[in-house]
Structure formats: structure tokens, C-alpha cells
């Protein structure tokens, strides 16, 4: 059975979105930490496969983060009725973080910690490509989505939810197809990669953004919930297997890229979002537990921003982690990075000046 909670007045806080956000940020840290082992030789053995499971198994997290933003923002009155106020609020939230964290990773991590020698041309290229450090592209991605939110919201919220679903599915299908075509062309030795930069990172994710709003009220029960859960688990499992066995299924290598905009990953991300919110109906959250969930959820953006500073400090000072071959060492580094990042983010949220960049 499928139900919708739309049209029942303003609901209590949706703790399902908080849980999804907390699980997703744990997955983001896992991708960046265990990815160190995944990328290192040898590409086999139990340790490598364990790292692949914890890395690729969370490949849906960035799309889900974008969907959470869409669910929270596109239906808000301020986006539709007071776009200028919306822009001021979001700019005050994102622009200080954008400047501060680019400086931290460019100067603090690349120059001071890694002792990189960066020419002016290299700095400009890093800034334009949003590749100053691994995760900072996401700020530009979200900033772009915020810019178009007041344009998109009136269209998809003007009629019943069918328009929102059709719009989200159409936009997402176009993005998935656009990123599938280079793989197909590669079969004919035609190289057509899609370059991304600070002005374009948001574009392929508009479909996910709209999907967050379109599917925010879907709640599955019974057999539909079991079926979608199974299909989602199979898609994630196949993506893990596919990553570790590239070359065995050439058609899958071309058509189902292991990326945030791959067809299988997109379907899995939608499944995680819908199943996660559907299962949240069964949560019984006390006021104390709710306070904790909200605190951890609100700290997730700060965790996203600071975790690679902490992990880089661990990586450069712990030989077993720097060597990237010891799964137990990297697992310990993950736990330390995650706990440290949440601690720093939660503490920063209590300091007025730091709160602006966390």
C-alpha cells in the first residue's frame, strides 16, 4: 500500500529527513576515508573488498543530500513568496563557508600540511574547477540549486504533485542520459567527457533537487515497501559488484557508470530516499532523542566541511593509514574522523563567529 501525507496541515518535524541526513554524512566520510584503501594496490583481498563495500555502498549519499534539500526548500513559502529574503538568508549561510573553507583547504591543507607548491595558474584552475579539495564542489552545487529554487518552485508546486513527479523524473532522466552518452561513445573510440566547473556543477542535480520535493510525502507500506527495499538493496549490491569486476560486463561499464549520475545509482538513491522516509513512520522518537537527532542533523554540514582536515592530519601522521593497505587502520581512522568531525561541528555551532562557517 502507498500513502501520502500531503494535505494534512503542517506536520510535526520529519525526523526521517534528519535520520537520512545523519546516515548520509556518515556515508560521505566513509567514501572519503575508505576510498583511500579502494584506490591503493592491491585491488583484491578481504580488506580491499570491505573498503569497496563501505565506499561504493554509500554512493547514493550525495544525491540523497540534494533530495533532502529539495524536500525542505522547494515547498517553503519563502522561496515562492519572498525570493529576495530567501537569497539573502542562503547567501549569509553559504558564502562565508565557501570563502573560509576554500582558504582552509588551499592554504592550510595543500600548502601547510602537504607542502604543495602552487603557481597562480594552478590556484586559479583549482578554484574554477572547484577542485581545491575533494568535497568543496558541493558548496557550489548547492549554491547553484539555491539560485534556481525560486524559479523552479512555483512551477512544480502550482498544481498537484503529478507535475512535480513528471518534472523531477524528466530532469533526472536527461541528466542520467547526458552522462551515459560519453560511455557509449567511448565504445566507438570517441572521447566526449563532460567537464564541470563552479558555474555548472549544479545543473545535473536539478532532477534530484526536484525529486526531493516530488517524493517527500510518499510513504510505502507492506508489499510495495518490501519490493522497493529489495530492489534498492539489489541495485546497491550490483553497483558494488560491478565496481570490483569492471570489464566482465562491458555493456554495464558503458551504460551504468559507478557515479552519482549513473542510471543504477540514481535509481538506488531514489529508493533509499523513499524507503528511508517510509521506514521513519515506524520511529518512535522521544523529545530527548529528537533533540539529539536534530543536533546531529544540523551538525552534518559542518562535518561535511571539516572532516577531510581531520582525516588529512591522521593520514599524514599515522604510517599505517598513509600506506593505505591496512583496513583495520583505515577503519580506526574513519571512526576517529567521524567522531572528531561531529565534535568540532557541534562545538563550533555554539560559537557565534564559527557558527557562520559551519
Amino acid at each position: 500500500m502507498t500513502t501520502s501525507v500531503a494535505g494534512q496541515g503542517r506536520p510535526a518535524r520529519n525526523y526521517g529527513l534528519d535520520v537520512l541526513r545523519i546516515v548520509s554524512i556518515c556515508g560521505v566520510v566513509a567514501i572519503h576515508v575508505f576510498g583511500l584503501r579502494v584506490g591503493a594496490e592491491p585491488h583484491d583481498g578481504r580488506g580491499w573488498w570491505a573498503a569497496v563495500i563501505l565506499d561504493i555502498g554509500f554512493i547514493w549519499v550525495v544525491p540523497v543530500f540534494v533530495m533532502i534539500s529539495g524536500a525542505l526548500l522547494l515547498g517553503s513559502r519563502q522561496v515562492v513568496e519572498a525570493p529576495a529574503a530567501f537569497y539573502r538568508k542562503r547567501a549569509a549561510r553559504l558564502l562565508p563557508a565557501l570563502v573560509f573553507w576554500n582558504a582552509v583547504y588551499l592554504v592550510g591543507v595543500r600548502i601547510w600540511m602537504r607542502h604543495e607548491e602552487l603557481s597562480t595558474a594552478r590556484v586559479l584552475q583549482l578554484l574554477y574547477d572547484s577542485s581545491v579539495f575533494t568535497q568543496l564542489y558541493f558548496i557550489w552545487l548547492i549554491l547553484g540549486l539555491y539560485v534556481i529554487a525560486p524559479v523552479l518552485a512555483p512551477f512544480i508546486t502550482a498544481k498537484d504533485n503529478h507535475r512535480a513527479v513528471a518534472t523531477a523524473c524528466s530532469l533526472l532522466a536527461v541528466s542520467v542520459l547526458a552522462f551515459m552518452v560519453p560511455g557509449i561513445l567511448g565504445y566507438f573510440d570517441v572521447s566526449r567527457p563532460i567537464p564541470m566547473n563552479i558555474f555548472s556543477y549544479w545543473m545535473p542535480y536539478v532532477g534530484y533537487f526536484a525529486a526531493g520535493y516530488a517524493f517527500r510525502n510518499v510513504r510505502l507500506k507492506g508489499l510495495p515497501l518490501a519490493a522497493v527495499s529489495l530492489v534498492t538493496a539489489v541495485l546497491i549490491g550490483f553497483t558494488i559488484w560491478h565496481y570490483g569486476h569492471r570489464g566482465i560486463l562491458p555493456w554495464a561499464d558503458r551504460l551504468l557508470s559507478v557515479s552519482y549520475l549513473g542510471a543504477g545509482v540514481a535509481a538506488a538513491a531514489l529508493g533509499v530516499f523513499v524507503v528511508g522516509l517510509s521506514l521513519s513512520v515506524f520511529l518512535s522518537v522521544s523529545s530527548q532523542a529528537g533533540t539529539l537527532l536534530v543536533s546531529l542533523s544540523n551538525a552534518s554540514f559542518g562535518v561535511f566541511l571539516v572532516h577531510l582536515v581531520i582525516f588529512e592530519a591522521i593520514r599524514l601522521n599515522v604510517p599505517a593509514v598513509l600506506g593505505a593497505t591496512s583496513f583495520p587502520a583505515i577503519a580506526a581512522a574513519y571512526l576517529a574522523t567521524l567522531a572528531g568531525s561531529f565534535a568540532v561541528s557541534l562545538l563550533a555551532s555554539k560559537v557565534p563567529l564559527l557558527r557562520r562557517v559551519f
Side-chain angles (χ1 to χ4, degrees):
M1 174 180 182
T2 305
T3 62
S4 173
V5 297
Q8 298 177 4
R10 185 174 180 85
R13 185 179 180 97
N14 188 343
Y15 289 113
L17 291 175
D18 291 310
V19 172
L20 276 175
R21 184 183 278 149
I22 294 166
V23 173
S24 294
I25 194 58
C26 292
V28 166
V29 178
I31 287 172
H32 293 153
V33 173
F34 290 105
L36 183 67
R37 174 64 190 95
V38 171
E41 297 288 350
H43 289 174
D44 57 28
R46 287 178 295 179
W48 185 77
W49 271 108
V52 168
I53 291 170
L54 292 166
D55 177 353
I56 307 304
F58 279 113
I59 198 169
W60 47 265
V61 295
V62 168
V64 167
F65 262 127
V66 174
M67 284 189 274
I68 292 171
S69 293
L72 293 172
L73 292 179
L74 290 177
S76 70
R77 292 181 60 183
Q78 186 183 58
V79 172
V80 177
E81 299 176 5
F86 170 78
Y87 283 140
R88 286 193 297 270
K89 180 179 179 181
R90 298 299 160 177
R93 178 75 179 95
L94 281 184
L95 293 182
L98 179 68
V99 173
F100 177 80
W101 288 103
N102 272 278
V104 166
Y105 281 99
L106 187 65
V107 178
V109 177
R110 284 188 175 273
I111 295 177
W112 289 350
M113 295 175 69
R114 290 185 172 181
H115 306 293
E116 294 183 15
E117 296 183 4
L118 301 176
S119 65
T120 301
R122 175 61 172 158
V123 169
L124 292 174
Q125 179 249 315
L126 289 171
L127 291 171
Y128 181 69
D129 291 344
S130 192
S131 55
V132 169
F133 221 72
T134 306
Q135 84 282 34
L136 295 184
Y137 76 93
F138 189 78
I139 306 179
W140 287 105
L141 187 162
I142 289 295
L143 189 60
L145 293 176
Y146 286 173
V147 169
I148 65 149
V151 178
L152 180 63
F155 176 76
I156 66 172
T157 62
K159 293 189 176 182
D160 60 31
N161 205 51
H162 291 95
R163 173 184 283 189
V165 172
T167 301
C169 291
S170 299
L171 291 170
L172 189 54
V174 169
S175 293
V176 168
L177 181 61
F179 280 80
M180 183 187 295
V181 168
I184 298 173
L185 293 177
Y187 181 79
F188 301 97
D189 296 322
V190 177
S191 178
R192 284 295 181 272
I194 301 177
M196 305 299 290
N197 58 61
I198 59 175
F199 299 111
S200 62
Y201 255 116
W202 62 273
M203 294 180 183
Y205 292 86
V206 178
Y208 285 126
F209 195 50
Y213 174 81
F215 296 107
R216 74 199 186 287
N217 290 323
V218 174
R219 300 295 183 267
L220 303 177
K221 295 181 180 179
L223 185 59
L225 176 58
V228 174
S229 299
L230 178 60
V231 170
T232 301
V234 168
L235 286 169
I236 294 172
F238 175 78
T239 303
I240 294 169
W241 179 89
H242 179 206
Y243 181 87
H245 295 89
R246 283 171 294 183
I248 293 180
L249 298 176
W251 62 269
D253 296 340
R254 301 295 183 187
L255 299 177
L256 302 174
S257 65
V258 182
S259 71
Y260 299 141
L261 293 161
V265 174
L270 289 171
V272 169
F273 185 76
V274 170
V275 169
L277 291 182
S278 298
L279 292 176
S280 71
V281 171
F282 303 103
L283 285 177
S284 179
V285 181
S286 66
S287 59
Q288 192 171 22
T291 301
L292 177 61
L293 281 176
V294 171
S295 295
L296 293 176
S297 177
N298 290 341
S300 63
F301 187 55
V303 172
F304 187 88
L305 294 169
V306 77
H307 75 278
L308 284 177
V309 176
I310 294 173
F311 179 58
E312 191 69 6
I314 295 172
R315 187 184 72 87
L316 293 174
N317 290 283
V318 180
V321 177
L322 183 62
T325 57
S326 170
F327 177 79
I330 291 176
Y334 168 74
L335 295 175
T337 299
L338 188 64
S341 299
F342 267 111
V344 170
S345 185
L346 288 167
L347 288 172
S349 69
K350 301 181 183 302
V351 180
L353 187 61
L354 289 177
R355 188 185 303 141
R356 297 194 64 188
V357 295
F358 273 84

